[in-house]
């Protein structure tokens, strides 16, 4: 009998979540049915969107259920299989994270090539966070030759890739926002940004104006709130904004007011367009084909913030929501 520890949602938080909103439980791992596999998870992802799933309300993805294990992206090794196409020993990505072992239909898993890139890369640069940056800057708010691009949460999993990608797409200047001197230094030294804005230093519009005195053409918004307002104020005519997230308001107990300068977007004919990465999964082969080569040659720079053990997964999620990570936040499970 194999036992698996998992993290369950114990309560729906009001405002900022805390450790008491999660519970660690132990379960037995059942034998796989025909067409199923058993995966020993080695890595799992925590991401800002998971905060919204802790609420009970309509959204683009179902909320987590009380008293049951959370879920999310994970990587692991197949240790039992009743599916001919996914043999024992395969490394797969799937959506049953937040547990040490997962039993799932083989059709819900994707075999990944760990000779192409290390397994954790498939949760970061080669996963949905990397794809988010690619889809945002090629489809939702496409970067054109000579554009000035502004990226919020620029030291995070999406933003750290987005700045480098904007340059490859022809941007003439790339500006990132992050919190604190260590992260802003990483933007300049590691992630290839031309200028870094420290939002914790205050007066975001003035900092952005100094970094982009002639305005910006593209903004990748993962923060909302004051960042969106500042970006609208700096937009050139015909600018494009990709609305990817709004982490600044995820813990609000009442809806935050929208930017008070939206009319500028109308006057300057700015496009504000939302995006869900799940609508762009068709780009995955194209993106992995490009990004894996860049990773291999060392021209795409990434970082990971790693915590160890399934019991630390709640704290890792809380850390993401507080901006504790540089690059991708990952939880390394006992199998690796």
């Amino acid at each position: 009998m194999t036992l698996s520890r998992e993290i369950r949602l114990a309560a729906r938080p009001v405002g900022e979540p805390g450790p008491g909103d999660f519970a660690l439980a132990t379960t037995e791992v059942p034998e796989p049915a025909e067409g199923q596999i058993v995966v020993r998870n080695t890595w799992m992802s925590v991401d800002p969107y998971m905060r919204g799933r802790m609420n009970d309300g309509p959204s683009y993805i179902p909320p987590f259920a009380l008293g049951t294990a959370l879920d999310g992206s994970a990587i692991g090794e197949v240790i039992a299989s009743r599916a001919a196409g996914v043999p024992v020993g395969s490394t797969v990505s799937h959506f049953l994270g937040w547990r040490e072992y997962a039993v799932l239909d083989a059709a819900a898993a994707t075999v990944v090539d760990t000779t192409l890139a290390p397994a954790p890369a498939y949760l970061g640069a080669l996963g949905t966070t990397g794809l988010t940056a690619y889809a945002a800057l090629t489809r939702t708010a496409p970067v054109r030759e000579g554009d000035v691009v502004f990226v919020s949460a620029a030291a995070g999993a999406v933003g750290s890739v987005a700045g480098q990608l904007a340059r490859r797409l022809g941007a003439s200047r790339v500006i990132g926002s992050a919190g604190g001197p260590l992260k802003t230094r990483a933007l300049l030294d590691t992630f290839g940004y031309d200028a870094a804005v420290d939002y914790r230093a205050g007066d975001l519009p003035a900092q952005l104006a100094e970094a982009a005195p002639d305005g910006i053409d593209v903004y990748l918004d993962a923060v909302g709130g004051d960042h969106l307002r500042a970006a609208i104020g700096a937009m050139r005519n015909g600018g494009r904004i990709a609305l990817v997230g709004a982490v600044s308001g995820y813990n609000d107990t009442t809806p935050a007011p929208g930017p008070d300068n939206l009319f500028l977007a109308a006057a300057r004919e700015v496009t504000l367009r939302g995006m869900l990465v799940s609508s762009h999964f068709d780009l995955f082969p194209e993106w992995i084909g490009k990004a894996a080569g860049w990773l291999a040659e060392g021209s795409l720079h990434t970082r990971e913030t790693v915590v160890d053990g399934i019991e630390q997964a709640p704290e890792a999620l809380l850390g993401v929501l507080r901006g504790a990570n540089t690059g991708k936040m990952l939880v390394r499970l006992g199998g690796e």
Side-chain angles (χ1 to χ4, degrees), residues 7 24 33 35 40 66 74 78 114 135 145 154 163 171 174 191 216 233 245 252 264 285 298 301 306 324-325 333:
I7 300 294
L24 178 65
R40 177 173 53 84
L66 282 172
V78 176
T114 55
E145 194 73 29
V174 186
F191 301 131
I216 62 175
D252 290 350
L264 284 178
H301 302 283
V306 177
N325 58 301
L333 304 179

Side-chain angles (χ1 to χ4, degrees), residues 124-125 127-143 151 156-166 169 193 220 242 244 275 277 283 287 300:
T128 54
T129 49
L131 181 65
T132 296
Y134 187 62
L137 297 182
T138 59
R139 281 185 173 173
T140 309
V143 175
V151 178
V158 174
S160 58
V161 172
Q164 299 171 77
L165 179 59
L169 294 171
Y193 281 86
L220 191 159
V244 174
M275 74 151 290
V277 68
L283 286 176
W287 168 241
L300 178 60

Side-chain angles (χ1 to χ4, degrees), residues 149-155 173-188 193-213 216 219 223 226-227 230-231 234:
V149 177
F150 177 43
V151 178
S152 60
R173 185 165 175 79
V174 186
I175 302 153
S177 170
L182 292 179
K183 285 191 177 183
T184 51
R185 177 51 54 188
L187 296 187
L188 302 174
Y193 281 86
D194 296 298
V197 171
D198 183 354
Y199 68 82
R200 292 180 180 169
D203 202 348
L204 190 60
Q207 290 192 69
L208 184 55
E210 181 177 356
I216 62 175
Y219 171 50
V223 174
D226 60 345
H227 279 69

Side-chain angles (χ1 to χ4, degrees), residues 16-322:
E16 184 175 0
D21 296 317
F22 305 88
L24 178 65
T26 300
T27 64
E28 295 182 12
V29 180
E31 293 295 322
E34 186 66 31
Q36 289 190 323
I37 56 176
V38 181
V39 181
R40 177 173 53 84
N41 287 335
T42 52
W43 296 89
M44 57 164 276
S45 174
V46 294
D47 300 283
Y49 81 90
M50 293 176 173
R51 172 61 185 88
R53 297 189 67 195
M54 297 178 77
N55 300 330
D56 187 12
S59 185
Y60 64 91
I61 188 170
F64 296 127
L66 282 172
T68 63
L70 286 71
D71 56 46
S73 297
I75 293 280
E77 179 188 356
V78 176
I79 61 167
S81 175
R82 295 188 64 187
V86 187
V88 169
S90 302
T91 300
V92 297
S93 65
H94 60 90
F95 207 65
L96 288 183
W98 293 89
R99 65 205 78 192
E100 293 176 314
Y101 292 83
V103 180
L104 66 153
D105 293 341
T110 300
V111 177
V112 299
D113 184 355
T114 55
T115 66
L116 193 64
Y122 289 93
L123 295 175
L126 301 186
T128 54
T129 49
L131 181 65
T132 296
Y134 187 62
L137 297 182
T138 59
R139 281 185 173 173
T140 309
V143 175
R144 301 168 185 158
E145 194 73 29
D147 279 347
V148 176
V149 177
F150 177 43
V151 178
S152 60
V158 174
S160 58
V161 172
Q164 299 171 77
L165 179 59
R167 175 78 68 219
R168 290 180 180 273
L169 294 171
S172 62
R173 185 165 175 79
V174 186
I175 302 153
S177 170
L182 292 179
K183 285 191 177 183
T184 51
R185 177 51 54 188
L187 296 187
L188 302 174
D189 293 348
T190 302
F191 301 131
Y193 281 86
D194 296 298
V197 171
D198 183 354
Y199 68 82
R200 292 180 180 169
D203 202 348
L204 190 60
Q207 290 192 69
L208 184 55
E210 181 177 356
D214 297 320
I216 62 175
D217 301 287
V218 172
Y219 171 50
L220 191 159
D221 185 27
V223 174
D226 60 345
H227 279 69
L228 180 57
R229 184 185 186 280
I232 290 171
M235 274 284 152
R236 293 171 171 169
N237 287 342
R240 285 88 63 205
I241 297 177
L243 301 171
V244 174
V247 69
S248 67
Y250 286 172
N251 289 328
D252 290 350
T253 56
T254 58
D260 60 8
N261 60 346
L262 273 175
F263 183 70
L264 284 178
R268 297 173 184 172
E269 297 186 305
V270 172
T271 299
L272 293 87
R273 185 178 178 188
M275 74 151 290
L276 299 177
V277 68
S278 56
S279 298
H280 302 278
F281 283 168
D282 63 296
L283 286 176
F284 247 137
E286 178 182 321
W287 168 241
I288 290 177
K290 295 174 184 285
W294 297 336
L295 284 173
E297 70 185 21
S299 64
L300 178 60
H301 302 283
T302 62
R303 281 196 191 175
E304 296 163 350
T305 301
V306 177
V307 301
D308 285 293
I310 188 70
E311 67 277 5
Q312 297 301 321
E315 188 56 39
L317 176 58
L318 301 183
V320 165
L321 296 173
R322 298 173 188 144

